[in-house]
């Protein structure tokens, strides 16, 4: 009997150890904080006076965050996966993403030879597209300044991602992309309200990567469910190590029945790594909404120097040029037609 008990106990310990060995959880994150200066920031919402603004800011080169990611081996090449990712402002310790605890990502799913299928709050294929084809992203003075959707997440989402040779695919369907509205857009009998459909397809051929994006969001109430916000984009990059070139075009159609407004966004960029510790990124953008004198040009440069594998210091310079009616700003608010220059210095640590 003693031998039997000892055998059972040893078996239990071995089983527990085996299960532990098949699972892992990782804590990770980025802390990014620096000093920012911009000129011609509007002093008053009704006045024309402008002034310079200097402040400490978080997430200049990459948004500050911490998270937990885990994977459990289920056998036969199948794994359970999860991610819980929090965004915060390192300059004051407050939560980002409208105060959500895990506002950047919170999902669980299954991964295997078929790819990965996840359910929860997740980054969109628009996010994927921007990260692949704009060398300035995830810096703030990037395509993010001109279209915040390049950092978008969707609530109540089902997402699939897979790789098949040189082809990669990410696709998402959300039952209600914004839970800050009533019912998160999930209203009984209103099957179009708050829905988002998105897909990004990319193909790698040698040193060239090319991709296409389609994304569509419906209005977030029964009264606006026929309204749509639609994005279509094409991108290409070519890697000539240590130089990498980028170009992308996005067409956005915003329909508020019966009117559809179109915005065109185009950029070209370059990334250069002269030595392993130094990275130089630069992108020129053309932002062209419908209507006369609304065009904006933006030109951004980022330089970083790695102090270690985890820590780097950086500087970002960006210049915004608005036509007479345009009011795009790097930070704050500008008067119509005013340009703006922004400069950032900071330190970023990854863990």
């Amino acid at each position: 009997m003693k031998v039997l008990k000892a055998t059972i106990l040893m078996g239990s310990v071995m089983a527990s150890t085996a299960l532990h060995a098949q699972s892992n959880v990782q804590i990770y994150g980025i802390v990014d904080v620096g000093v920012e200066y911009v000129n011609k920031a509007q002093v008053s919402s009704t006045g024309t006076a402008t002034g310079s603004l200097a402040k400490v800011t978080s997430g200049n080169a990459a948004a500050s965050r911490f998270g937990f990611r885990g994977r459990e081996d289920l056998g036969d090449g199948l794994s359970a996966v999860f991610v819980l990712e929090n965004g915060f402002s390192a300059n004051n310790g407050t939560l980002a993403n409208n105060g959500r605890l895990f506002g950047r990502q919170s999902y669980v799913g299954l991964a295997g030879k078929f790819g990965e299928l996840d359910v929860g709050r997740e980054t969109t294929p628009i996010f994927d597209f921007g990260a692949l084809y704009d060398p300035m992203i995830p810096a703030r003075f990037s395509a993010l300044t001109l279209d915040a959707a390049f950092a978008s997440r969707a609530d109540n989402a089902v997402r699939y991602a897979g790789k098949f040779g040189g082809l990669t695919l990410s696709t998402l369907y959300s039952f209600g992309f914004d839970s800050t509205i009533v019912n998160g857009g999930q209203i009984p009998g209103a099957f179009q309200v708050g829905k988002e459909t998105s897909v990004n397809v990319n193909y790698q051929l040698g040193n060239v990567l090319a991709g296409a994006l389609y994304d569509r969001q419906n209005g977030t109430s029964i009264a606006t469910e026929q309204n749509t916000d639609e994005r279509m984009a094409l991108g290409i990059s070519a890697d000539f190590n240590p130089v990498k070139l980028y170009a992308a075009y996005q067409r956005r159609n915003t329909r508020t029945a019966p009117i559809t407004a179109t915005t065109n966004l185009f950029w070209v960029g370059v990334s250069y790594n002269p030595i392993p510790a130094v990275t130089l990124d630069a992108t020129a953008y053309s932002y062209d909404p419908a209507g006369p004198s609304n065009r904006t040009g933006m030109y951004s440069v980022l330089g970083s120097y790695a102090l270690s594998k985890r820590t780097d210091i950086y500087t970002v310079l960006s210049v915004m040029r608005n036509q007479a009616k345009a009011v795009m700003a790097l930070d704050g608010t500008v008067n119509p037609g005013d340009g703006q220059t922004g400069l950032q210095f900071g330190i970023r640590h990854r863990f």
Side-chain angles (χ1 to χ4, degrees):
M1 181 62 69
K2 290 182 179 180
V3 173
L4 178 60
K5 289 182 178 179
T7 302
I8 293 173
L9 178 61
M10 184 174 293
S12 299
V13 171
M14 291 177 65
S16 176
T17 303
L19 287 173
H20 178 75
Q22 292 172 359
S23 304
N24 68 81
V25 176
Q26 177 188 8
I27 300 175
Y28 67 94
I30 295 175
V31 183
D32 179 335
V33 67
V35 176
E36 176 184 283
Y37 166 85
V38 294
N39 68 350
K40 294 189 177 181
Q42 194 178 70
V43 175
S44 139
S45 61
T46 58
T48 58
T50 57
S52 300
L53 175 64
K55 60 181 180 179
V56 174
T57 51
S58 175
N60 299 314
S64 297
R65 85 284 305 258
F66 74 84
F68 308 89
R69 65 167 65 98
R71 178 178 292 266
E72 180 188 12
D73 185 359
L74 302 175
D76 295 324
L78 186 65
S79 298
V81 296
F82 80 90
V83 170
L84 297 172
E85 188 173 282
N86 166 273
F88 65 94
S89 297
N91 59 309
N92 57 24
T94 58
L95 292 173
N97 307 107
N98 296 315
R100 304 181 192 219
L101 179 59
F102 294 113
R104 289 182 59 85
Q105 296 183 87
S106 57
Y107 67 80
V108 64
L110 294 173
K113 296 178 182 179
F114 62 88
E116 184 168 321
L117 181 66
D118 304 315
V119 184
R121 175 171 169 82
E122 308 182 58
T123 57
T124 67
I126 308 174
F127 180 105
D128 300 340
F129 182 89
L132 287 172
Y133 298 109
D134 183 357
M136 288 295 299
I137 288 178
R140 282 175 48 222
F141 294 167
S142 65
L144 298 173
T145 301
L146 302 170
D147 187 352
F150 287 112
S152 65
R153 279 89 176 159
D155 298 330
N156 309 302
V158 178
R159 176 185 165 109
Y160 169 77
K163 181 174 175 61
F164 311 94
L167 180 72
T168 57
L169 167 71
S170 61
T171 183
L172 174 144
Y173 180 79
S174 171
F175 292 84
F177 65 84
D178 186 358
S179 290
T180 63
I181 62 176
V182 177
N183 298 320
Q186 301 177 103
I187 301 175
F191 298 109
Q192 295 187 67
V193 174
K195 302 304 183 283
E196 180 172 6
T197 304
S198 189
V199 60
N200 174 217
V201 180
N202 303 282
Y203 189 77
Q204 182 82 48
L205 181 61
N207 66 335
V208 176
L209 177 69
L213 166 75
Y214 177 80
D215 182 271
R216 173 175 168 149
Q217 294 177 330
N218 285 84
T220 54
S221 69
I222 292 177
T224 63
E225 66 178 331
Q226 297 301 319
N227 295 343
T228 58
D229 192 4
E230 185 180 56
R231 291 173 175 84
M232 295 164 284
L234 298 172
I236 190 168
S237 68
D239 192 349
F240 304 99
N241 188 31
V243 175
K244 193 170 184 178
L245 305 177
Y246 303 82
Y249 167 74
Q250 176 188 266
R251 182 180 180 88
R252 179 182 180 184
N253 296 320
T254 306
R255 183 177 185 270
T256 305
I259 299 170
T260 299
T262 298
T263 300
N264 294 305
L265 172 60
F266 174 76
W267 70 77
V268 292
V270 60
S271 183
Y272 177 47
N273 296 102
I275 58 175
V278 174
T279 300
L280 300 171
D281 298 318
T283 306
Y285 307 86
S286 175
Y287 180 78
D288 189 8
S293 302
N294 283 335
R295 184 177 298 174
T296 297
M298 189 175 84
Y299 313 92
S300 298
V301 179
L302 183 151
S304 67
Y305 180 77
L307 301 175
S308 70
K309 290 183 178 180
R310 296 181 178 270
T311 304
D312 67 299
I313 53 176
Y314 63 82
T315 183
V316 185
L317 173 65
S318 188
V319 177
M320 186 84 78
R321 292 287 180 260
N322 287 316
Q323 287 188 339
K325 296 181 181 179
V327 291
M328 297 299 293
L330 295 168
D331 201 347
T333 304
V334 299
N335 294 317
D338 275 356
Q340 193 175 52
T341 299
L343 184 63
Q344 298 168 333
F345 297 94
I347 182 169
R348 171 174 49 179
H349 176 75
R350 305 171 181 84
F351 62 89

